[in-house]
Amino acid sequence: MTMKIESLPPVSEMMRECGLEPKKQFGQNFLFDLNLTGRIARSVPNIKKIPVIEVGPGPAGLTRALLLAGAPRVIAIEKDKTTAPILSRVIDASNGRLEVIYDDALKVDFGALGVTEYAICANLPYNVGTELLLNWLHLSYEQIRNHKSEIINSMTLMFQREVAQRIVAKPGDAQYGRLSVLTSLIADAKILFGVPSTAFVPRPKVESAVVQIIPNAEKMKQIGDLSKIENITAKLFGQRRKMIRGIMPGMDWKQFGLSGTERAQELTPETFVKIAKSVV
């Protein structure tokens, strides 16, 4: 008889049975704390109404929490095939709600997964977390711009704390940069809560935080050509200690309410949009 999700053995026990160890090359740090995984899962907006795509389920600690929180369908994308013995047991216990795709999330076409409105939830590997987020921000922008039926409803993601702070940073903050600007122009983001390094196996050298990012269609409609904005942020933040007039000489900064003596970290995301739209 197939076990129910809540009756499965503890994640740590299943790992011992399968001889599974976290792999450094995949940036794996596993979560065993049921209270923590449950808190993350319950933070996903509309968890009981829309499918959830999870990246890097590993031994399925968060996966199980998402299913227990009522997700009608979970699509888990896992690069490490040695997790299959554990994930197959969770599939059997999921009553048809869990599908596992063994592939690199950086290469997966999310538009081909057969879901329309969906949430993304993940304890992201530190080594590819920022790259994945940038991919999803671009994907969300393209979905809105091209009026696609596939829509990212929300992203509830765990990052190392430094990256989380960069995502939500405001103009003038030390952490404010290109990632802050791009996120702000496409979505509404906030840090939900911090996660101590002691919650992971193996224990990382850094603290973590869970960030929630809600794509904002109205914001995206205002920004115009995203690639031009990215070029401007790359140019100005690439020399963040220099005054902007020294980086882009000949620009009439007064049209943006600026003197030209400002530095990139002082400019609002909206100002970057205006500058990008003025550049031919």
Side-chain angles (χ1 to χ4, degrees):
M1 181 176 176
T2 301
M3 299 181 72
K4 294 183 178 180
I5 293 292
E6 55 266 34
S7 301
L8 288 170
V11 175
S12 56
E13 181 179 323
M14 293 176 74
M15 285 185 64
R16 284 194 298 271
E17 291 175 359
C18 298
L20 181 64
E21 297 285 343
K23 296 177 180 61
K24 190 173 182 180
Q25 70 264 35
F26 293 140
Q28 292 175 334
N29 297 90
F30 297 145
L31 282 171
F32 293 161
D33 187 326
L34 296 180
N35 290 327
L36 182 55
T37 54
R39 186 180 181 188
I40 296 169
R42 290 190 299 272
S43 297
V44 177
N46 302 311
I47 180 86
K48 296 182 179 181
K49 296 181 180 179
I50 62 175
V52 179
I53 298 176
E54 182 191 7
V55 171
L62 180 56
T63 314
R64 289 161 63 163
L66 291 167
L67 292 166
L68 287 170
R73 183 183 179 192
V74 176
I75 302 172
I77 302 171
E78 177 55 67
K79 189 176 183 179
D80 181 8
K81 293 183 179 180
T82 65
T83 60
I86 292 178
L87 290 172
S88 63
R89 292 180 66 181
V90 182
I91 290 173
D92 290 341
S94 72
N95 195 27
R97 292 188 292 146
L98 174 62
E99 173 188 354
V100 178
I101 298 172
Y102 291 98
D103 203 345
D104 184 343
L106 289 169
K107 300 176 182 178
V108 171
D109 179 3
F110 278 47
L113 295 179
V115 290
T116 51
E117 185 177 3
Y118 58 91
I120 299 175
C121 184
N123 168 24
L124 292 175
Y126 288 159
N127 55 352
V128 294
T130 302
E131 187 175 359
L132 283 167
L133 173 59
L134 288 170
N135 283 356
W136 294 331
L137 290 171
H138 280 96
L139 175 60
S140 188
Y141 171 78
E142 292 297 330
Q143 288 172 340
I144 296 300
R145 188 177 73 165
N146 296 322
H147 307 287
K148 291 190 175 182
S149 58
E150 303 91 8
I151 296 293
I152 299 174
N153 177 276
S154 66
M155 294 176 262
T156 304
L157 310 171
M158 189 181 304
F159 296 93
Q160 62 189 73
R161 186 171 60 186
E162 179 185 343
V163 175
Q165 291 171 336
R166 285 169 50 206
I167 292 168
V168 303
K170 305 299 181 186
D173 292 346
Q175 301 89 352
Y176 184 67
R178 295 178 65 194
L179 184 59
S180 320
V181 172
L182 185 63
T183 303
S184 178
L185 291 175
I186 289 176
D188 301 311
K190 62 181 177 180
I191 293 177
L192 296 183
F193 50 86
V195 180
S197 60
T198 52
F200 298 92
V201 176
R203 180 176 178 177
K205 296 179 181 179
V206 296
E207 302 294 302
S208 298
V210 176
V211 181
Q212 191 155 85
I213 301 162
I214 310 293
N216 186 320
E218 290 307 311
K219 282 186 174 183
M220 286 185 260
K221 291 173 184 176
Q222 305 300 318
I223 64 179
D225 188 336
L226 185 61
S227 62
K228 291 179 70 174
I229 296 170
E230 291 188 292
N231 289 338
I232 294 297
T233 56
K235 180 176 291 188
L236 295 180
F237 279 109
Q239 302 179 69
R240 60 187 299 141
R241 293 185 179 181
K242 291 185 66 174
M243 295 180 186
I244 55 177
R245 68 184 182 190
I247 303 171
M248 297 178 66
M251 177 70 74
D252 177 14
W253 295 107
K254 291 182 180 179
Q255 64 179 307
F256 312 116
L258 302 172
S259 66
T261 59
E262 297 84 359
R263 291 168 175 80
Q265 59 266 35
E266 299 174 60
L267 307 185
T268 66
E270 294 74 23
T271 300
F272 280 104
V273 172
K274 292 176 183 177
I275 295 170
K277 287 181 177 179
S278 73
V279 175
V280 177

